[in-house]
Structure formats: structure tokens, C-alpha cells
């Protein structure tokens, strides 16, 4: 899967006599036990095709229930608590004529089998799991070029909004930017001007991120990225990206030298959607998922798009990308459409995002928009946070100034 699935149920299909891995499905374990029967049926139906014209039916299925102990629990308590869910999953798969070969509970560094009654190989205290990266499967995955990116919780933490004082400062900056945005949108050609300014600011930020590549752990790199953008800059970009046309134009930064800094910028903006602006993170999260998929990082793409859809299940762009990834489609046709969109915008307006992709000599390569960075650009020590913007207050509903249709 590319990551450790915390608090998840995972079903893996096996094919043939040698048990070749096939499709898999993952879902968070429902906290409400009354949902377990319906969830078990849906997971089995998702993995096991009903008709004969579809993909081949699996020979068997392996079930993994991954959950860490809650306060006052141990691994055995988790195993016992999830046993009815495991049994319901086995029944649901069996009802579709596909047996569950093994069902395992993974918790607190140990695993237990729900299928094997032999205490000589499956002791009551569980079996110690090997250290990450030391198994034969991990070695084979590394040899095949597959990278494990940590746990699901660690990947989601990189996309979560700020908290505490920094969140309050960012929210005040978003309030101020929202109040300033409305009169601008009411002017003649206001929407076009706002789109142009947003894309120019995004281009300047991507250039800034490209010039300063951090090192160290993911947490340290994210802290450095946060220090590269002020609250006012983040607020302007977050609100500007709520417009569908602006978001689609920003999606052109999806490959070449622009992809990595663009991904860092979208993640940083998602972390700035604090407080009452949490839903505004849907757009940068979807862009982060798109860039990850375009650069062949499927696990990160699924996590980012999953976070986006948890905020807005009806966000069309995220729905389409998530479906395309799960169907195993190639992102190149969409990249080709975005490149054509880029060329068309460059030829008609002379201003378009620079995708960073290599082009032929005959193609006209527009210069990327370079907005003059505001004087408030962070210059503090690496790993710190940028200075706050204006701290005027104010609250509202949807502050972007656009209706819901612009957010598809």
C-alpha cells in the first residue's frame, strides 16, 4: 500500500495456486459497531466482482485489522474487541464463494490470527512483528522500487491544519483577505484580475520554494516550508484557489522542475486552512493529490484525496482523481490536456503558469509570472514560522466570494 494503515481494515485478494497478490481495499474501522455488518458486506462486494465479464475473481482473501490500543487497553483487548468484525468479514466473503485464507489483528507491535487455533504457532499473547524494513517482503518491495512512506497517521499529519496561536493568526489573516476580496470581485473584470494575481503569486511562491529546498525529517522539512510563506500570502492563495478556473490553471504545475515545489506549496496551504476555514483546504489537498499522482506517488495521492473528500465528499475534481487512481488509469491523458490548456492560455493572454516540463524547441515557452514578493517575506531561522499578517477580526460563512459551483 505504500504506508502502514493505522486504524484500518484491509482486504487483499489472492489469485492462483501460488497466492499472487491482486486488488486490495482499505477503510477506516468504524467506531460504531452497528455499522460492521454493512461495512463488511460492502468491502467484500468491492473486492469480489459479481459478473463473469469483469476482472478475474480472487481465489482467496486475506483480512488485516490494524488498530492501536486505546487508553487502558492492550493488544489482546483490541484483538478480542475486533473479533466480531473479523468474523463478519469472513462470512461476507464466504457468501460470495471466496474464502478468507487468513484474518489477522495487528496491534501494539504484535499480531494475532483469527483463523488458526494452534497455540504453538499462534500464541495467546500474539507474535512479535519484525522491525519495519527487515522482512523479505520489504526487501523485495525496495528492490522493485516501492517506497514505504511511514504510517497513515504520519502522512495525514503533514496535511492537517495548524493549531494554537499560529492557527488564530492565520485565521485573522484569512478574515482580512476575505474582506478585501469581495470589493475586488465586484469591479469590472474583477474575477479575471483576481485569477491573474493568484496565479502570479503562486508562481512566485513556487519559485521561492524551488530556491530553498529543506532537508531532514518530514516534520523539519514541513516546518521550513511553513517559514517560506507569510500568513497574508497563504490567505490570498487559499481564497484564490477556491475558484475552479484558478484551481485548474494551478494544476498545470504537475511535472518537470515545478512539480516538487508545487507539491510542497499545496501541502503548506492545506496546513494554513485553520479554524472556520478548514473546508477551504479541499482545493490545495486536491492539487497535492493530483501532483502526487502525476509524479507516480500513488499512496500519497490517495491520502491527500481522501483528506479532501472527507472535508467535501461532493468535490468533483477530487472524486474524479480518486476514482481514476483506484481504476489504475494513466495520468498522462490529463497531463496532456493541461499542457494544451497551458499553451492556449499562453498564446491568448501571454501569461500562464510555467509547468516546468521539458518542451520542444519549436514550442513557445512563456516566462513564468513573477510577482514581486511582498516585503513581509519570512527571513527568520529555518524551521521557524513566518510572521503574521494583519490581525483584523471578522467572521463570515464561505469567505471566498464564490458560490459552491466554483469549487468543483
Amino acid at each position: 500500500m505504500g504506508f502502514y494503515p493505522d486504524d484500518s481494515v484491509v482486504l487483499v485478494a489472492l489469485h492462483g495456486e501460488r497466492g499472487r497478490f491482486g486488488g486490495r481495499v482499505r477503510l477506516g474501522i468504524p467506531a460504531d459497531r452497528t455499522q460492521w455488518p454493512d461495512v463488511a458486506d460492502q468491502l467484500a462486494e468491492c473486492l469480489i466482482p459479481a459478473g463473469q465479464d469483469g476482472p478475474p475473481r480472487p481465489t482467496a482473501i486475506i483480512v488485516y485489522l490494524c488498530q492501536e490500543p486505546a487508553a487502558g487497553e492492550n493488544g489482546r483487548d483490541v484483538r478480542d474487541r475486533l473479533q466480531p468484525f473479523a468474523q463478519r468479514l469472513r462470512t461476507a466473503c464466504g457468501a460470495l464463494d471466496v474464502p478468507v485464507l487468513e484474518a489477522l489483528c495487528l496491534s501494539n507491535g504484535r499480531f494475532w490470527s483469527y483463523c488458526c487455533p494452534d497455540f504453538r504457532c499462534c500464541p495467546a499473547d500474539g507474535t512479535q512483528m519484525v522491525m519495519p524494513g527487515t522482512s523479505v517482503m520489504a526487501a523485495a518491495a525496495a528492490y522493485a522500487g516501492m517506497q514505504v512512506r511511514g504510517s497513515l497517521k504520519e502522512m495525514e499529519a503533514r496535511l492537517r491544519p495548524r493549531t494554537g496561536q499560529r492557527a488564530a493568526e492565520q485565521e485573522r489573516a484569512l478574515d482580512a483577505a476575505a474582506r478585501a476580496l469581495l470589493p475586488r470581485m465586484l469591479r469590472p473584470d474583477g474575477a479575471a484580475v483576481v485569477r491573474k494575481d493568484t496565479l502570479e503569486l503562486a508562481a512566485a511562491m513556487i519559485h521561492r520554494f524551488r530556491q530553498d529546498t529543506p532537508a531532514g525529517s518530514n516534520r523539519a522539512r514541513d516546518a521550513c516550508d511553513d517559514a517560506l510563506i507569510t500568513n497574508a500570502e497563504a490567505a490570498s492563495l487559499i481564497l484564490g484557489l477556491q475558484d475552479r478556473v484558478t484551481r485548474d490553471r494551478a494544476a498545470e504545475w504537475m511535472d518537470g522542475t515545478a512539480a516538487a515545489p508545487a507539491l510542497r506549496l499545496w501541502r503548506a496551504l492545506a496546513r494554513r486552512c485553520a479554524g472556520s476555514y478548514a473546508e477551504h483546504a479541499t482545493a490545495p489537498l486536491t492539487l497535492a493529490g493530483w501532483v502526487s499522482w502525476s509524479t507516480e506517488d500513488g499512496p500519497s495521492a490517495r491520502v491527500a484525496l481522501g483528506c479532501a473528500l472527507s472535508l467535501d465528499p461532493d468535490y468533483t475534481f477530487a472524486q474524479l482523481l480518486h476514482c481514476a487512481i483506484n481504476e489504475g488509469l494513466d495520468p498522462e491523458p490529463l497531463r496532456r490536456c493541461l499542457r494544451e490548456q497551458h499553451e492556449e492560455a499562453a498564446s491568448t493572454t501571454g501569461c500562464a503558469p510555467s509547468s516546468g516540463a521539458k518542451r520542444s524547441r519549436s514550442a513557445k515557452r512563456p516566462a513564468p509570472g513573477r510577482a514581486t514578493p511582498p516585503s513581509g517575506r519570512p527571513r527568520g531561522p529555518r524551521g521557524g514560522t513566518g510572521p503574521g499578517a494583519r490581525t483584523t477580526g471578522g467572521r463570515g460563512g464561505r469567505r471566498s466570494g464564490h458560490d459552491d459551483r466554483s469549487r468543483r
Side-chain angles (χ1 to χ4, degrees):
M1 298 190 68
F3 56 85
Y4 180 81
D6 307 273
D7 195 21
S8 300
V9 51
V10 181
L11 273 64
V12 179
L14 302 180
H15 295 271
E17 296 181 355
R18 302 184 62 181
R20 176 177 53 85
F21 277 10
R24 73 268 189 197
V25 293
R26 186 205 69 84
L27 187 69
I29 297 177
D32 185 357
R33 298 190 181 192
T34 61
Q35 298 179 0
W36 288 358
D38 291 337
V39 169
D41 292 340
Q42 292 175 11
L43 288 174
E45 292 172 0
C46 286
L47 193 60
I48 303 172
Q52 299 296 328
D53 298 334
R57 291 171 60 86
T59 306
I61 287 177
I62 298 180
V63 174
Y64 298 91
L65 295 172
C66 311
Q67 191 173 73
E68 292 305 303
E73 280 189 328
N74 56 37
R76 293 184 64 178
D77 295 331
V78 175
R79 177 203 63 181
D80 296 340
R81 176 165 50 80
L82 296 180
Q83 185 168 7
F85 190 24
Q87 183 58 39
R88 189 64 184 81
L89 289 164
R90 296 174 66 186
T91 303
C93 294
L96 297 177
D97 295 328
V98 178
V100 172
L101 186 64
E102 180 63 277
L104 299 173
C105 174
L106 283 67
S107 181
N108 201 27
R110 309 186 76 85
F111 68 88
W112 290 263
S113 171
Y114 289 117
C115 298
C116 179
D118 192 343
F119 287 97
R120 292 173 297 178
C121 60
C122 299
D125 292 333
T127 304
Q128 185 75 32
M129 290 191 291
V130 299
M131 293 294 293
T134 60
S135 67
V136 175
M137 183 174 293
Y143 181 78
M146 299 174 61
Q147 179 184 0
V148 178
R149 292 158 182 81
S151 69
L152 178 60
K153 289 182 178 179
E154 292 171 348
M155 297 176 71
E156 291 177 339
R158 305 188 68 184
L159 307 172
R160 290 198 191 102
R162 286 178 164 184
T163 57
Q165 182 61 30
R166 295 188 304 167
E169 294 173 355
Q170 182 63 69
E171 191 169 8
R172 287 193 290 268
L174 283 161
D175 286 336
R179 286 196 300 272
L181 179 63
L182 181 58
R184 294 179 63 196
M185 295 293 295
L186 295 177
R187 297 171 187 167
D189 297 329
V193 173
V194 171
R195 287 167 182 162
K196 179 176 179 293
D197 292 346
T198 301
L199 291 171
E200 288 182 346
L201 178 58
M205 294 300 101
I206 289 175
H207 177 73
R208 183 186 299 176
F209 275 52
R210 184 189 292 126
Q211 299 302 312
D212 193 343
T213 303
S217 65
N218 287 339
R219 185 173 182 179
R221 291 199 297 268
D222 290 344
C224 291
D225 288 343
D226 290 337
L228 292 175
I229 183 170
T230 67
N231 289 338
E233 292 167 338
S236 296
L237 287 173
I238 289 169
L239 296 178
L241 289 173
Q242 303 310 303
D243 175 63
R244 178 182 58 81
V245 176
T246 307
R247 180 209 63 198
D248 291 349
R249 292 286 302 282
E252 295 173 16
W253 287 299
M254 79 275 181
D255 56 7
T257 59
L263 178 58
R264 291 163 53 200
L265 175 61
W266 307 143
R267 284 173 174 165
L269 292 179
R271 294 192 293 268
R272 298 296 187 100
C273 295
S276 57
Y277 290 88
E279 188 179 343
H280 284 62
T282 308
L285 285 171
T286 303
L287 288 171
W290 158 238
V291 177
S292 296
W293 183 40
S294 179
T295 54
E296 300 182 352
D297 186 356
S300 296
R302 286 189 176 90
V303 172
L305 294 172
C307 291
L309 291 172
S310 68
L311 294 172
D312 187 353
D314 297 324
Y315 199 70
T316 306
F317 190 27
Q319 288 178 334
L320 294 174
L321 291 176
H322 198 262
C323 181
I325 294 173
N326 290 334
E327 293 292 334
L329 301 182
D330 185 358
E332 181 55 29
L334 181 53
R335 285 198 296 254
R336 190 181 305 116
C337 291
L338 289 173
R339 293 188 188 106
E340 293 173 356
Q341 171 183 278
H342 171 87
E343 296 293 351
E344 181 180 356
S347 62
T348 56
T349 66
C351 178
S354 175
S355 68
K358 295 182 179 179
R359 302 179 185 276
S360 63
R361 294 183 179 180
S362 60
K364 182 178 180 181
R365 185 186 183 99
R370 296 184 182 273
T372 302
S375 58
R377 173 176 174 176
R379 300 185 183 277
R382 292 176 63 85
T385 56
R390 293 175 294 174
T391 57
T392 53
R395 289 293 183 270
R398 189 177 297 279
R399 296 161 171 89
S400 64
H402 307 295
D403 61 19
D404 285 347
R405 288 176 297 175
S406 67
R407 304 186 69 252
R408 297 293 185 259

